[in-house]
Amino acid sequence: MKTKLKLFAKARDLVGAAELELDLPESATVADLRIALGEHSPALQPLLASLLVAVGTDYASPTTRIGGRQDLAVFPPVSGG
Amino acid sequence: MKTKLKLFAKARDLVGAAELELDLPESATVADLRIALGEHSPALQPLLASLLVAVGTDYASPTTRIGGRQDLAVFPPVSGG
Amino acid sequence: MIQLTHDTIDYTALTESIRSNQAGAVVLFLGTVREMTAGRQTVALDYDGFPEMAEAKLRELEAEARSRWPVIEAGIVHRLGHLELGDISVAVAVSCPHRHQAFDAGRYLIDRLKEVVPIWKKENWSDGSTEWVHPGVDNNGTQPQI
Amino acid sequence: MIQLTHDTIDYTALTESIRSNQAGAVVLFLGTVREMTAGRQTVALDYDGFPEMAEAKLRELEAEARSRWPVIEAGIVHRLGHLELGDISVAVAVSCPHRHQAFDAGRYLIDRLKEVVPIWKKENWSDGSTEWVHPGVDNNGTQPQI
């Protein structure tokens, strides 16, 4: 299923895009997204393990199903303040 | 010896004056001042044990000699802020 | 007041908005762009953010603070975009009946903000290089050895 | 800036005076006149002070804070005279490289101010009575039973 996600900060720079569309099964979890992202953008590889995933405005847990969602965001650890 | 002191807050109100002159021997300490103050102004009696004494801009220790000083201040516990 | 802005933060307006006759204490925290970090010289910072989620998380943090301390009013403003040395990146203001409550609540809000609010800063070092700050991820983007 | 004043405290000017490119954190504390204290309603406070000694003690407190934390700049302004509900009685501002230093130094300064600086407040209760606040001394001026 078409799955849309926003990228921020270094993740966006490494992918070279602010948004991305991946094809994921509906049952796909955060772990599956990580694998798919690494295959789509090998430049993300070194950042992959530390990437955070949000669904809507909440952090996704590792088991959250995210396949087909249009409101995902993927980003490295935050550093505001 | 003529000993001058300023009074503040409730101590001033109870004595009814902002400054006071007492006759104290040169060897008089803070404890002696307390006794002399209580005799001079019986209204101060209930506050006497908690009064603080300053010489110049420093708190006096119980053994500081204060007889004859012109730069004494006497006041109850502080409550600024 | 929960706000993200690209403009200079008006911390006086924020502070006035959280003052109250019910409060004896106001604590304001300002984060400002510091020149030296671990011996390296910064000339500017760029802040990126995910606005919808950042605002939602800031509202959650305010609710968390209210559940822990008798907060009368609280406000958080975070700036995004390009900031020069000394500029204010974030302002947290809180009013409480007593001072230790206000200090604790203010510290909690900025500590938690730095943990969960999706905002990121990029260092512009004096040697001309730039670098995203991602705690726990080293400069090459690899996970640090533990 | 160490100052006693009978005028409204300009905490923005105080805060601007302690900001620095060397600081990543600014903490401002404001004490404000609270309406309710232990269930009693205040309508105003009168602050009395011993100015020369108060200023000397505030300078000592600033020096103490600098000896304990890497304070870049610090300032304390205390108001004297008649204050209405919500008015600011004291402002403490401090800048440090990191935020926990600034929170700790700011809290230390206001805690110590309340212990040692010769300033006193008189409550003007809503029932028309007035009362000096002298911690450790009860309302009749006698020492409390321990």
PDB file of all heavy atoms in Angstrom, chain B residues 34-67:
ATOM      1  N   ARG B  34      20.527  43.577  74.142  1.00  0.00           N
ATOM      2  CA  ARG B  34      19.177  43.031  74.235  1.00  0.00           C
ATOM      3  C   ARG B  34      18.528  43.422  75.581  1.00  0.00           C
ATOM      4  O   ARG B  34      17.394  43.871  75.634  1.00  0.00           O
ATOM      5  CB  ARG B  34      19.232  41.504  74.126  1.00  0.00           C
ATOM      6  CG  ARG B  34      18.364  40.904  73.057  1.00  0.00           C
ATOM      7  CD  ARG B  34      18.509  39.385  73.035  1.00  0.00           C
ATOM      8  NE  ARG B  34      19.542  38.948  72.095  1.00  0.00           N
ATOM      9  CZ  ARG B  34      19.332  38.852  70.783  1.00  0.00           C
ATOM     10  NH1 ARG B  34      18.166  39.178  70.280  1.00  0.00           N
ATOM     11  NH2 ARG B  34      20.290  38.458  69.976  1.00  0.00           N
ATOM     12  N   ILE B  35      19.313  43.243  76.630  1.00  0.00           N
ATOM     13  CA  ILE B  35      18.793  43.575  77.972  1.00  0.00           C
ATOM     14  C   ILE B  35      18.487  45.070  78.071  1.00  0.00           C
ATOM     15  O   ILE B  35      17.413  45.482  78.519  1.00  0.00           O
ATOM     16  CB  ILE B  35      19.824  43.154  79.051  1.00  0.00           C
ATOM     17  CG1 ILE B  35      19.937  41.619  79.071  1.00  0.00           C
ATOM     18  CG2 ILE B  35      19.413  43.699  80.423  1.00  0.00           C
ATOM     19  CD1 ILE B  35      21.155  41.110  79.828  1.00  0.00           C
ATOM     20  N   ALA B  36      19.424  45.903  77.561  1.00  0.00           N
ATOM     21  CA  ALA B  36      19.245  47.356  77.637  1.00  0.00           C
ATOM     22  C   ALA B  36      18.022  47.794  76.827  1.00  0.00           C
ATOM     23  O   ALA B  36      17.277  48.691  77.236  1.00  0.00           O
ATOM     24  CB  ALA B  36      20.505  48.054  77.125  1.00  0.00           C
ATOM     25  N   LEU B  37      17.821  47.137  75.670  1.00  0.00           N
ATOM     26  CA  LEU B  37      16.675  47.475  74.818  1.00  0.00           C
ATOM     27  C   LEU B  37      15.365  47.154  75.519  1.00  0.00           C
ATOM     28  O   LEU B  37      14.415  47.929  75.474  1.00  0.00           O
ATOM     29  CB  LEU B  37      16.739  46.680  73.505  1.00  0.00           C
ATOM     30  CG  LEU B  37      17.384  47.369  72.301  1.00  0.00           C
ATOM     31  CD1 LEU B  37      17.502  46.386  71.152  1.00  0.00           C
ATOM     32  CD2 LEU B  37      16.588  48.606  71.880  1.00  0.00           C
ATOM     33  N   GLY B  38      15.322  45.988  76.169  1.00  0.00           N
ATOM     34  CA  GLY B  38      14.114  45.578  76.874  1.00  0.00           C
ATOM     35  C   GLY B  38      13.781  46.507  78.021  1.00  0.00           C
ATOM     36  O   GLY B  38      12.608  46.784  78.289  1.00  0.00           O
ATOM     37  N   GLU B  39      14.834  47.033  78.678  1.00  0.00           N
ATOM     38  CA  GLU B  39      14.604  47.977  79.780  1.00  0.00           C
ATOM     39  C   GLU B  39      14.132  49.322  79.240  1.00  0.00           C
ATOM     40  O   GLU B  39      13.236  49.957  79.793  1.00  0.00           O
ATOM     41  CB  GLU B  39      15.881  48.147  80.608  1.00  0.00           C
ATOM     42  CG  GLU B  39      16.149  46.924  81.476  1.00  0.00           C
ATOM     43  CD  GLU B  39      17.551  46.938  82.092  1.00  0.00           C
ATOM     44  OE1 GLU B  39      18.313  47.908  81.831  1.00  0.00           O
ATOM     45  OE2 GLU B  39      17.877  45.982  82.820  1.00  0.00           O
ATOM     46  N   HIS B  40      14.737  49.739  78.135  1.00  0.00           N
ATOM     47  CA  HIS B  40      14.377  51.028  77.556  1.00  0.00           C
ATOM     48  C   HIS B  40      12.964  51.010  76.986  1.00  0.00           C
ATOM     49  O   HIS B  40      12.201  51.970  77.133  1.00  0.00           O
ATOM     50  CB  HIS B  40      15.375  51.406  76.458  1.00  0.00           C
ATOM     51  CG  HIS B  40      15.043  52.691  75.757  1.00  0.00           C
ATOM     52  ND1 HIS B  40      14.119  52.780  74.742  1.00  0.00           N
ATOM     53  CD2 HIS B  40      15.488  53.964  75.961  1.00  0.00           C
ATOM     54  CE1 HIS B  40      14.025  54.025  74.334  1.00  0.00           C
ATOM     55  NE2 HIS B  40      14.841  54.763  75.054  1.00  0.00           N
ATOM     56  N   SER B  41      12.613  49.911  76.295  1.00  0.00           N
ATOM     57  CA  SER B  41      11.312  49.815  75.630  1.00  0.00           C
ATOM     58  C   SER B  41      10.646  48.492  75.969  1.00  0.00           C
ATOM     59  O   SER B  41      10.773  47.515  75.229  1.00  0.00           O
ATOM     60  CB  SER B  41      11.482  49.924  74.110  1.00  0.00           C
ATOM     61  OG  SER B  41      12.074  51.150  73.757  1.00  0.00           O
ATOM     62  N   PRO B  42       9.911  48.457  77.076  1.00  0.00           N
ATOM     63  CA  PRO B  42       9.263  47.204  77.500  1.00  0.00           C
ATOM     64  C   PRO B  42       8.359  46.614  76.417  1.00  0.00           C
ATOM     65  O   PRO B  42       8.161  45.398  76.357  1.00  0.00           O
ATOM     66  CB  PRO B  42       8.449  47.640  78.720  1.00  0.00           C
ATOM     67  CG  PRO B  42       9.164  48.853  79.246  1.00  0.00           C
ATOM     68  CD  PRO B  42       9.700  49.550  78.040  1.00  0.00           C
ATOM     69  N   ALA B  43       7.843  47.468  75.514  1.00  0.00           N
ATOM     70  CA  ALA B  43       6.975  46.977  74.443  1.00  0.00           C
ATOM     71  C   ALA B  43       7.707  45.993  73.533  1.00  0.00           C
ATOM     72  O   ALA B  43       7.088  45.162  72.858  1.00  0.00           O
ATOM     73  CB  ALA B  43       6.435  48.148  73.615  1.00  0.00           C
ATOM     74  N   LEU B  44       9.057  46.084  73.520  1.00  0.00           N
ATOM     75  CA  LEU B  44       9.863  45.207  72.649  1.00  0.00           C
ATOM     76  C   LEU B  44      10.016  43.803  73.235  1.00  0.00           C
ATOM     77  O   LEU B  44      10.435  42.877  72.537  1.00  0.00           O
ATOM     78  CB  LEU B  44      11.274  45.782  72.474  1.00  0.00           C
ATOM     79  CG  LEU B  44      11.584  46.658  71.268  1.00  0.00           C
ATOM     80  CD1 LEU B  44      13.058  47.007  71.284  1.00  0.00           C
ATOM     81  CD2 LEU B  44      11.231  45.931  69.979  1.00  0.00           C
ATOM     82  N   GLN B  45       9.683  43.673  74.515  1.00  0.00           N
ATOM     83  CA  GLN B  45       9.939  42.441  75.259  1.00  0.00           C
ATOM     84  C   GLN B  45       9.597  41.158  74.476  1.00  0.00           C
ATOM     85  O   GLN B  45      10.439  40.273  74.334  1.00  0.00           O
ATOM     86  CB  GLN B  45       9.162  42.489  76.593  1.00  0.00           C
ATOM     87  CG  GLN B  45       9.797  41.777  77.762  1.00  0.00           C
ATOM     88  CD  GLN B  45      11.227  42.175  78.077  1.00  0.00           C
ATOM     89  OE1 GLN B  45      12.158  41.475  77.707  1.00  0.00           O
ATOM     90  NE2 GLN B  45      11.412  43.315  78.763  1.00  0.00           N
ATOM     91  N   PRO B  46       8.360  41.036  73.912  1.00  0.00           N
ATOM     92  CA  PRO B  46       8.006  39.778  73.234  1.00  0.00           C
ATOM     93  C   PRO B  46       8.851  39.481  71.998  1.00  0.00           C
ATOM     94  O   PRO B  46       8.918  38.340  71.544  1.00  0.00           O
ATOM     95  CB  PRO B  46       6.536  39.972  72.851  1.00  0.00           C
ATOM     96  CG  PRO B  46       6.177  41.379  73.163  1.00  0.00           C
ATOM     97  CD  PRO B  46       7.253  42.002  73.960  1.00  0.00           C
ATOM     98  N   LEU B  47       9.487  40.528  71.443  1.00  0.00           N
ATOM     99  CA  LEU B  47      10.266  40.366  70.204  1.00  0.00           C
ATOM    100  C   LEU B  47      11.754  40.180  70.505  1.00  0.00           C
ATOM    101  O   LEU B  47      12.534  39.781  69.635  1.00  0.00           O
ATOM    102  CB  LEU B  47      10.077  41.651  69.378  1.00  0.00           C
ATOM    103  CG  LEU B  47      10.171  41.578  67.856  1.00  0.00           C
ATOM    104  CD1 LEU B  47       9.119  40.642  67.301  1.00  0.00           C
ATOM    105  CD2 LEU B  47       9.978  42.980  67.269  1.00  0.00           C
ATOM    106  N   LEU B  48      12.121  40.452  71.741  1.00  0.00           N
ATOM    107  CA  LEU B  48      13.530  40.612  72.104  1.00  0.00           C
ATOM    108  C   LEU B  48      14.419  39.424  71.712  1.00  0.00           C
ATOM    109  O   LEU B  48      15.492  39.604  71.124  1.00  0.00           O
ATOM    110  CB  LEU B  48      13.620  40.841  73.620  1.00  0.00           C
ATOM    111  CG  LEU B  48      14.596  41.901  74.110  1.00  0.00           C
ATOM    112  CD1 LEU B  48      14.445  43.199  73.357  1.00  0.00           C
ATOM    113  CD2 LEU B  48      14.398  42.132  75.600  1.00  0.00           C
ATOM    114  N   ALA B  49      13.950  38.216  71.987  1.00  0.00           N
ATOM    115  CA  ALA B  49      14.786  37.032  71.772  1.00  0.00           C
ATOM    116  C   ALA B  49      15.082  36.805  70.292  1.00  0.00           C
ATOM    117  O   ALA B  49      16.087  36.194  69.942  1.00  0.00           O
ATOM    118  CB  ALA B  49      14.108  35.801  72.359  1.00  0.00           C
ATOM    119  N   SER B  50      14.209  37.298  69.425  1.00  0.00           N
ATOM    120  CA  SER B  50      14.409  37.028  67.998  1.00  0.00           C
ATOM    121  C   SER B  50      15.063  38.195  67.254  1.00  0.00           C
ATOM    122  O   SER B  50      15.320  38.101  66.062  1.00  0.00           O
ATOM    123  CB  SER B  50      13.069  36.685  67.341  1.00  0.00           C
ATOM    124  OG  SER B  50      12.170  37.756  67.489  1.00  0.00           O
ATOM    125  N   LEU B  51      15.340  39.288  67.955  1.00  0.00           N
ATOM    126  CA  LEU B  51      15.935  40.446  67.266  1.00  0.00           C
ATOM    127  C   LEU B  51      17.336  40.141  66.746  1.00  0.00           C
ATOM    128  O   LEU B  51      18.131  39.480  67.403  1.00  0.00           O
ATOM    129  CB  LEU B  51      16.003  41.652  68.214  1.00  0.00           C
ATOM    130  CG  LEU B  51      14.679  42.349  68.520  1.00  0.00           C
ATOM    131  CD1 LEU B  51      14.910  43.495  69.506  1.00  0.00           C
ATOM    132  CD2 LEU B  51      14.021  42.868  67.241  1.00  0.00           C
ATOM    133  N   LEU B  52      17.620  40.642  65.553  1.00  0.00           N
ATOM    134  CA  LEU B  52      18.943  40.529  64.950  1.00  0.00           C
ATOM    135  C   LEU B  52      19.652  41.874  65.086  1.00  0.00           C
ATOM    136  O   LEU B  52      19.011  42.924  65.075  1.00  0.00           O
ATOM    137  CB  LEU B  52      18.811  40.151  63.470  1.00  0.00           C
ATOM    138  CG  LEU B  52      18.030  38.858  63.222  1.00  0.00           C
ATOM    139  CD1 LEU B  52      17.639  38.730  61.756  1.00  0.00           C
ATOM    140  CD2 LEU B  52      18.870  37.658  63.661  1.00  0.00           C
ATOM    141  N   VAL B  53      20.961  41.808  65.207  1.00  0.00           N
ATOM    142  CA  VAL B  53      21.749  43.029  65.372  1.00  0.00           C
ATOM    143  C   VAL B  53      22.812  43.082  64.281  1.00  0.00           C
ATOM    144  O   VAL B  53      23.485  42.086  64.005  1.00  0.00           O
ATOM    145  CB  VAL B  53      22.423  43.063  66.761  1.00  0.00           C
ATOM    146  CG1 VAL B  53      23.282  44.320  66.910  1.00  0.00           C
ATOM    147  CG2 VAL B  53      21.375  42.987  67.870  1.00  0.00           C
ATOM    148  N   ALA B  54      22.926  44.242  63.638  1.00  0.00           N
ATOM    149  CA  ALA B  54      23.958  44.427  62.618  1.00  0.00           C
ATOM    150  C   ALA B  54      24.896  45.545  63.046  1.00  0.00           C
ATOM    151  O   ALA B  54      24.485  46.532  63.655  1.00  0.00           O
ATOM    152  CB  ALA B  54      23.328  44.764  61.276  1.00  0.00           C
ATOM    153  N   VAL B  55      26.183  45.360  62.724  1.00  0.00           N
ATOM    154  CA  VAL B  55      27.194  46.404  62.909  1.00  0.00           C
ATOM    155  C   VAL B  55      27.637  46.795  61.506  1.00  0.00           C
ATOM    156  O   VAL B  55      28.150  45.959  60.767  1.00  0.00           O
ATOM    157  CB  VAL B  55      28.399  45.883  63.706  1.00  0.00           C
ATOM    158  CG1 VAL B  55      29.434  46.991  63.853  1.00  0.00           C
ATOM    159  CG2 VAL B  55      27.957  45.362  65.062  1.00  0.00           C
ATOM    160  N   GLY B  56      27.393  48.056  61.162  1.00  0.00           N
ATOM    161  CA  GLY B  56      27.661  48.446  59.776  1.00  0.00           C
ATOM    162  C   GLY B  56      26.690  47.696  58.886  1.00  0.00           C
ATOM    163  O   GLY B  56      25.484  47.779  59.079  1.00  0.00           O
ATOM    164  N   THR B  57      27.219  46.918  57.937  1.00  0.00           N
ATOM    165  CA  THR B  57      26.335  46.144  57.061  1.00  0.00           C
ATOM    166  C   THR B  57      26.514  44.645  57.283  1.00  0.00           C
ATOM    167  O   THR B  57      26.161  43.838  56.426  1.00  0.00           O
ATOM    168  CB  THR B  57      26.585  46.480  55.575  1.00  0.00           C
ATOM    169  OG1 THR B  57      27.945  46.176  55.255  1.00  0.00           O
ATOM    170  CG2 THR B  57      26.331  47.956  55.301  1.00  0.00           C
ATOM    171  N   ASP B  58      27.049  44.267  58.456  1.00  0.00           N
ATOM    172  CA  ASP B  58      27.232  42.835  58.754  1.00  0.00           C
ATOM    173  C   ASP B  58      26.472  42.417  60.000  1.00  0.00           C
ATOM    174  O   ASP B  58      26.363  43.203  60.946  1.00  0.00           O
ATOM    175  CB  ASP B  58      28.720  42.523  58.951  1.00  0.00           C
ATOM    176  CG  ASP B  58      29.448  42.437  57.639  1.00  0.00           C
ATOM    177  OD1 ASP B  58      28.954  41.732  56.738  1.00  0.00           O
ATOM    178  OD2 ASP B  58      30.498  43.096  57.512  1.00  0.00           O
ATOM    179  N   TYR B  59      25.993  41.192  59.999  1.00  0.00           N
ATOM    180  CA  TYR B  59      25.353  40.672  61.200  1.00  0.00           C
ATOM    181  C   TYR B  59      26.399  40.552  62.305  1.00  0.00           C
ATOM    182  O   TYR B  59      27.514  40.096  62.067  1.00  0.00           O
ATOM    183  CB  TYR B  59      24.715  39.300  60.927  1.00  0.00           C
ATOM    184  CG  TYR B  59      23.450  39.412  60.109  1.00  0.00           C
ATOM    185  CD1 TYR B  59      23.451  39.143  58.745  1.00  0.00           C
ATOM    186  CD2 TYR B  59      22.252  39.795  60.700  1.00  0.00           C
ATOM    187  CE1 TYR B  59      22.284  39.261  57.988  1.00  0.00           C
ATOM    188  CE2 TYR B  59      21.091  39.921  59.961  1.00  0.00           C
ATOM    189  CZ  TYR B  59      21.106  39.648  58.606  1.00  0.00           C
ATOM    190  OH  TYR B  59      19.960  39.780  57.872  1.00  0.00           O
ATOM    191  N   ALA B  60      26.017  40.972  63.498  1.00  0.00           N
ATOM    192  CA  ALA B  60      26.918  40.862  64.647  1.00  0.00           C
ATOM    193  C   ALA B  60      26.811  39.462  65.227  1.00  0.00           C
ATOM    194  O   ALA B  60      25.728  38.865  65.244  1.00  0.00           O
ATOM    195  CB  ALA B  60      26.528  41.891  65.707  1.00  0.00           C
ATOM    196  N   SER B  61      27.947  38.931  65.689  1.00  0.00           N
ATOM    197  CA  SER B  61      27.899  37.649  66.403  1.00  0.00           C
ATOM    198  C   SER B  61      27.574  37.963  67.864  1.00  0.00           C
ATOM    199  O   SER B  61      27.718  39.103  68.303  1.00  0.00           O
ATOM    200  CB  SER B  61      29.241  36.930  66.279  1.00  0.00           C
ATOM    201  OG  SER B  61      30.191  37.565  67.095  1.00  0.00           O
ATOM    202  N   PRO B  62      27.127  36.960  68.638  1.00  0.00           N
ATOM    203  CA  PRO B  62      26.737  37.228  70.027  1.00  0.00           C
ATOM    204  C   PRO B  62      27.842  37.879  70.850  1.00  0.00           C
ATOM    205  O   PRO B  62      27.563  38.609  71.802  1.00  0.00           O
ATOM    206  CB  PRO B  62      26.402  35.834  70.569  1.00  0.00           C
ATOM    207  CG  PRO B  62      26.036  35.035  69.361  1.00  0.00           C
ATOM    208  CD  PRO B  62      26.887  35.559  68.253  1.00  0.00           C
ATOM    209  N   THR B  63      29.104  37.658  70.463  1.00  0.00           N
ATOM    210  CA  THR B  63      30.209  38.177  71.274  1.00  0.00           C
ATOM    211  C   THR B  63      30.787  39.484  70.734  1.00  0.00           C
ATOM    212  O   THR B  63      31.718  40.032  71.326  1.00  0.00           O
ATOM    213  CB  THR B  63      31.336  37.133  71.344  1.00  0.00           C
ATOM    214  OG1 THR B  63      31.715  36.797  70.002  1.00  0.00           O
ATOM    215  CG2 THR B  63      30.878  35.879  72.062  1.00  0.00           C
ATOM    216  N   THR B  64      30.266  39.969  69.610  1.00  0.00           N
ATOM    217  CA  THR B  64      30.770  41.232  69.068  1.00  0.00           C
ATOM    218  C   THR B  64      30.593  42.344  70.106  1.00  0.00           C
ATOM    219  O   THR B  64      29.526  42.488  70.696  1.00  0.00           O
ATOM    220  CB  THR B  64      29.990  41.618  67.793  1.00  0.00           C
ATOM    221  OG1 THR B  64      29.982  40.516  66.887  1.00  0.00           O
ATOM    222  CG2 THR B  64      30.592  42.838  67.108  1.00  0.00           C
ATOM    223  N   ARG B  65      31.634  43.151  70.301  1.00  0.00           N
ATOM    224  CA  ARG B  65      31.522  44.303  71.215  1.00  0.00           C
ATOM    225  C   ARG B  65      30.882  45.464  70.465  1.00  0.00           C
ATOM    226  O   ARG B  65      31.354  45.852  69.395  1.00  0.00           O
ATOM    227  CB  ARG B  65      32.901  44.728  71.710  1.00  0.00           C
ATOM    228  CG  ARG B  65      33.511  43.684  72.625  1.00  0.00           C
ATOM    229  CD  ARG B  65      34.657  44.287  73.393  1.00  0.00           C
ATOM    230  NE  ARG B  65      35.158  43.327  74.379  1.00  0.00           N
ATOM    231  CZ  ARG B  65      35.995  43.668  75.350  1.00  0.00           C
ATOM    232  NH1 ARG B  65      36.416  44.921  75.453  1.00  0.00           N
ATOM    233  NH2 ARG B  65      36.407  42.769  76.214  1.00  0.00           N
ATOM    234  N   ILE B  66      29.804  45.978  71.028  1.00  0.00           N
ATOM    235  CA  ILE B  66      29.050  46.998  70.305  1.00  0.00           C
ATOM    236  C   ILE B  66      28.884  48.289  71.097  1.00  0.00           C
ATOM    237  O   ILE B  66      28.323  49.254  70.587  1.00  0.00           O
ATOM    238  CB  ILE B  66      27.655  46.456  69.928  1.00  0.00           C
ATOM    239  CG1 ILE B  66      26.957  45.945  71.197  1.00  0.00           C
ATOM    240  CG2 ILE B  66      27.759  45.341  68.902  1.00  0.00           C
ATOM    241  CD1 ILE B  66      25.537  45.585  70.977  1.00  0.00           C
ATOM    242  N   GLY B  67      29.397  48.313  72.340  1.00  0.00           N
ATOM    243  CA  GLY B  67      29.267  49.529  73.150  1.00  0.00           C
ATOM    244  C   GLY B  67      29.935  50.720  72.467  1.00  0.00           C
ATOM    245  O   GLY B  67      31.065  50.607  72.001  1.00  0.00           O
TER     246      GLY B  67
END
